[in-house]
Amino acid sequence: MISNGRVLGLARMAFPILERAGIAALAFKGPFQHRQLHGDPFFFRSGDLDLLVARSQFTAALGVLEANGFLRRAETSPWWTRALGEVHLTHPEGGVIDLHHRLQQPGCPPPRDLDAFLAGSAREQLGEVAICVPTPAQSLLIATLNFVKEFTHRRLSARYAYDLADGLLRLPQEERNAFAALACAQGLAGTAALAVTLAEALFGLELPLPPPLRRRALPDWAEPEALRAMVFDPEGAGTRWPRRRTILWAMCSAPAGPARTPEYAREVARMFASEALRRASGRAGE
């Protein structure tokens, strides 16, 4: 409660600063997402305030937050700001803001239109301050992106799979339909379908998957025992991982075969460009 309360306090501090500068922002994870997907802003510990701004306003947002006492972490490099699309800012009184202009990292298909997340957001009051948050459908899609991102990059991803599964079960049918429509509109139908398939195998559930999303067969590399090791013990000596490009192929939205190749090739090129920038920025040891 202390940690999540600090995140809420940071939101009350950051939103008026950005609003005075004419910069739209979205608080898209943490207690705001927990409340929408699980019914409780303190469902899980959140250490940072994640804010999304338009790429065109990223530099301005960074500048105005620094002018108001936030400090950029020393390890920031072009790889963080360009490829990953984020910067970590600390406040002298405690707390961290992760300022983003992307919602997905290279290696996974990204949303087509980030501005739509900002334009279609909801607003809620936090004391006297208005906070922009995703709609429930947007929050569920962001949870999907978080799951596949952590899974693809071989990090502990079980709680993100739980976010997706619990959100699908809790949200009313209207919001599930909006989630499916949003995933398709953002070019993420394949990502959503794979994420749901993996979550079903992981938890032994049949999750509601509204059309136009379609179920996919469980990949042969994701049989339940192997999958549990990947999401709960990603660094375990016995954990058997498929190649990242194999997972990427499964996330692409077009039907398997030649129709999927252009999307796959585009995302592989984006992944290689990110790796080249990481090495050029001196992050080869990460």
Side-chain angles (χ1 to χ4, degrees), residues 1-12 31 41-42 44 46 126:
M1 291 184 70
I2 292 172
S3 181
N4 289 25
R6 182 180 293 116
V7 172
L8 296 173
L10 283 171
R12 294 181 63 182
F42 301 102
F44 187 87
S46 299
L126 191 58

Side-chain angles (χ1 to χ4, degrees), residues 132-171:
C132 290
V133 298
T135 64
Q138 288 176 336
S139 281
L140 189 55
L141 185 57
I142 291 169
T144 303
L145 295 175
N146 290 338
F147 172 38
V148 297
K149 175 185 69 177
E150 298 302 299
F151 182 81
T152 299
H153 291 88
R154 302 181 181 182
R155 296 189 288 257
L156 192 66
S157 61
R159 74 178 181 93
Y160 299 103
Y162 183 87
D163 286 341
L164 170 61
D166 197 34
L168 271 174
L169 292 171
R170 284 177 175 269
L171 290 181

Side-chain angles (χ1 to χ4, degrees), residues 30 34 36 53 76 96 101 150 184-185 240 262 265 275:
H34 300 336
Q36 288 184 322
V53 299
T76 301
V96 177
H101 64 79
E150 298 302 299
C184 292
R240 303 186 308 275
E275 179 62 16

Side-chain angles (χ1 to χ4, degrees), residues 100-275:
H100 298 252
H101 64 79
R102 296 185 188 275
L103 284 177
Q104 189 55 287
Q105 293 182 4
C108 303
R112 287 174 177 166
D113 183 8
L114 278 184
D115 289 342
F117 283 86
L118 294 164
S121 63
R123 294 176 73 89
E124 62 180 45
Q125 289 296 128
L126 191 58
E128 72 283 3
V129 176
I131 307 295
C132 290
V133 298
T135 64
Q138 288 176 336
S139 281
L140 189 55
L141 185 57
I142 291 169
T144 303
L145 295 175
N146 290 338
F147 172 38
V148 297
K149 175 185 69 177
E150 298 302 299
F151 182 81
T152 299
H153 291 88
R154 302 181 181 182
R155 296 189 288 257
L156 192 66
S157 61
R159 74 178 181 93
Y160 299 103
Y162 183 87
D163 286 341
L164 170 61
D166 197 34
L168 271 174
L169 292 171
R170 284 177 175 269
L171 290 181
Q173 187 63 42
E174 180 182 1
E175 295 295 349
R176 291 198 292 260
N177 291 342
F179 159 73
L182 179 62
C184 292
Q186 290 286 349
L188 296 169
T191 294
L194 177 66
V196 170
T197 298
L198 296 181
E200 287 182 329
L202 180 62
F203 299 121
L205 295 170
E206 184 173 333
L207 296 171
L209 187 66
L213 295 178
R214 296 182 179 181
R215 295 189 183 278
R216 290 191 170 179
L218 187 68
D220 57 7
W221 46 261
E223 60 88 20
E225 184 177 351
L227 180 61
R228 282 191 291 271
M230 293 177 209
V231 299
F232 285 105
D233 189 21
E235 297 181 355
T239 302
R240 303 186 308 275
W241 280 99
R243 298 180 68 186
R244 287 181 173 88
R245 279 180 279 177
T246 300
I247 302 172
L248 174 59
W249 176 263
M251 277 189 284
C252 292
S253 294
R260 189 175 293 186
T261 302
E263 179 185 1
Y264 173 75
R266 181 176 66 247
E267 296 308 323
V268 168
R270 184 168 164 260
M271 185 167 58
F272 284 165
S274 170
E275 179 62 16

